[in-house]
Amino acid sequence: MNIGKTIADYRKAANMTQSEVADQLGVTYQAVSKWERDESLPDITMLPKIADLFNISIDTLLRGSFEMKEEKEVATARQIIEEVTEAEQDETAETIEPIKKQDQDETLKAADKPVDDEKTESDENDDDAFININLGGLLEQLAPLMKPNQLDRVVGKLGRMNKKLSSIYPFLKRERMSELIAKTPLDELEIDELLPFLNSAQRDLLIEKIVQYENVPDFLDLDDLYPFLNSAQKTVLLSWLLAYDRFDLLDDFMPFSNSEHREKIIDEMLETGNLEYVSETYPFINNELKNRLLTYFIENRMTEELSELMDFM
């Protein structure tokens, strides 16, 4: 991101001082100085004003500041900036000059516009077009310039997450994160990138989505989950694994298990007779569980398993 250098270059080309730029933009000269020295960033709603001041288009400013080359990327960035700026202006207008609903209705009726709050077909088409654009790293570049409410408004329009949006997880509001997790298919979530930013309730939501699957989907790496889960969440996940006899996946689970989990695993193995992966438990189970296995192996003359277990006795 080179927005500071871009502002400095255009300011110098216009033979303007930082104070003159500041006066035109309605900010302090110290703010302009910090922008140019990359010590801070202008709010995203300031970009149209900067472009107008230097008599350039927002597209030109974006290409110079964010090294955007793809026309679709530039167009999408411009759309985001315009929508955020328009929304900010609307909120400011509502604060300065409140308008009563009765007056709104009369104004809309006079203009022959629909007065209900439902989206028109055109609005829905615009939303679909916005959602279907491949944003890539675009929001990652714009997010540092945006206030939480501004980014929340843009991301809310997406309707669901996308793996290429993982870089903005740190900027998302908690409520928006929960909404997007609920609406996004599991295979479209970048779970390993997402987990560090989730609270316990959001992890519950994620676990709930996982256990809805019949068996473990190929795209899911469970070992990414375990370090972030509490005991109750691990219990839910373990019950799901055992329900589908996925003893082959327990080697990653065992280091994060507690005594109750380990007892449940051994109980299930002995009850089903599925002992193919029992050796994965040996470094983690206590003597009581080992003795239970020892008795089982002796009674069933399982010499190979008995020999392997003795190394851990």
Side-chain angles (χ1 to χ4, degrees):
M1 184 186 300
N2 298 312
I3 191 166
K5 182 178 184 302
T6 301
I7 292 173
D9 289 345
Y10 278 111
R11 176 181 64 78
K12 293 172 184 176
N15 195 30
M16 298 177 70
T17 66
Q18 290 180 341
S19 293
E20 290 171 333
V21 170
D23 290 341
Q24 292 292 321
L25 297 177
V27 298
T28 65
Y29 77 88
Q30 291 96 331
V32 175
S33 176
K34 288 182 178 180
W35 295 347
E36 294 188 0
R37 287 184 280 123
D38 289 327
E39 293 181 3
S40 66
L41 296 168
D43 186 271
I44 193 169
T45 59
M46 191 64 67
L47 298 186
K49 298 178 183 179
I50 294 171
D52 288 344
L53 176 62
F54 297 129
N55 198 27
I56 60 175
S57 67
I58 292 180
D59 291 16
T60 299
L61 182 62
L62 290 171
R63 290 191 186 95
S65 302
F66 299 92
E67 300 179 353
M68 296 181 183
K69 298 179 181 179
E70 296 290 334
E71 288 301 318
K72 181 183 288 188
E73 190 176 32
V74 173
T76 306
R78 181 182 358 99
Q79 180 185 357
I80 291 172
I81 292 168
E82 290 173 350
E83 290 192 5
V84 169
T85 302
E86 182 179 352
E88 289 287 302
Q89 291 171 344
D90 290 344
E91 290 177 2
T92 301
E94 289 175 7
T95 302
I96 296 173
E97 189 178 352
I99 302 173
K100 293 182 180 180
K101 190 175 189 308
Q102 182 178 352
D103 294 334
Q104 289 179 320
D105 292 343
E106 291 176 357
T107 303
L108 290 170
K109 185 175 181 180
D112 196 26
K113 293 181 179 179
V115 296
D116 59 41
D117 294 330
E118 295 181 4
K119 288 186 177 181
T120 65
E121 184 176 349
S122 175
D123 291 335
E124 291 176 352
N125 289 338
D126 289 343
D127 285 357
D128 289 341
F130 185 81
I131 291 169
N132 290 330
I133 289 172
N134 183 2
L135 293 178
L138 180 57
L139 282 179
E140 179 183 10
Q141 297 185 71
L142 295 180
L145 281 69
M146 302 170 77
K147 296 174 183 175
N149 285 344
Q150 294 169 341
L151 181 62
D152 186 67
R153 188 181 296 116
V154 173
V155 174
K157 193 172 182 180
L158 297 176
R160 65 188 197 185
M161 289 185 178
N162 181 297
K163 286 189 175 182
K164 293 185 178 179
L165 297 180
S166 60
S167 57
I168 68 166
Y169 291 164
F171 301 97
L172 294 180
K173 286 187 173 183
R174 181 174 298 177
E175 296 79 6
R176 184 66 67 191
M177 182 80 83
S178 297
E179 176 189 335
L180 293 177
I181 292 172
K183 291 182 177 180
T184 305
L186 189 63
D187 60 350
E188 293 183 21
L189 291 174
E190 196 73 30
I191 293 178
D192 58 332
E193 300 285 344
L194 184 63
L195 280 164
F197 305 103
L198 301 185
N199 59 27
S200 182
Q202 290 165 337
R203 291 193 293 269
D204 283 341
L205 184 59
L206 187 60
I207 295 296
E208 183 180 331
K209 292 178 77 74
I210 290 173
V211 299
Q212 289 176 358
Y213 278 78
E214 295 185 1
N215 216 325
V216 183
D218 294 335
F219 62 81
L220 184 62
D221 290 325
L222 291 174
D223 53 319
D224 292 333
L225 286 165
Y226 300 141
F228 299 95
L229 302 184
N230 60 36
S231 179
Q233 291 162 346
K234 291 173 189 173
T235 298
V236 173
L237 205 56
L238 176 61
S239 297
W240 176 65
L241 288 172
L242 296 179
Y244 293 101
D245 295 330
R246 294 308 305 266
F247 298 103
D248 56 312
L249 298 179
L250 293 177
D251 57 332
D252 290 325
F253 179 84
M254 291 303 297
F256 302 96
S257 63
N258 60 29
S259 58
E260 292 181 2
H261 298 144
R262 295 163 195 162
E263 184 175 0
K264 185 172 184 176
I265 290 169
I266 297 301
D267 285 345
E268 188 73 17
M269 286 183 168
L270 292 177
E271 183 177 338
T272 62
N274 190 337
L275 297 163
E276 182 178 358
Y277 299 97
V278 68
S279 61
E280 303 288 351
T281 70
Y282 295 163
F284 305 99
I285 59 177
N286 58 30
N287 287 334
E288 181 181 350
L289 293 177
K290 288 175 184 175
N291 286 329
R292 286 181 59 191
L293 289 173
L294 180 66
T295 301
Y296 184 91
F297 293 155
I298 292 174
E299 290 177 350
N300 291 275
R301 299 181 180 180
M302 301 172 67
T303 55
E304 185 176 341
E305 289 79 359
L306 182 60
S307 176
E308 192 170 359
L309 174 62
M310 291 304 295
D311 293 334
F312 293 88
M313 296 296 287

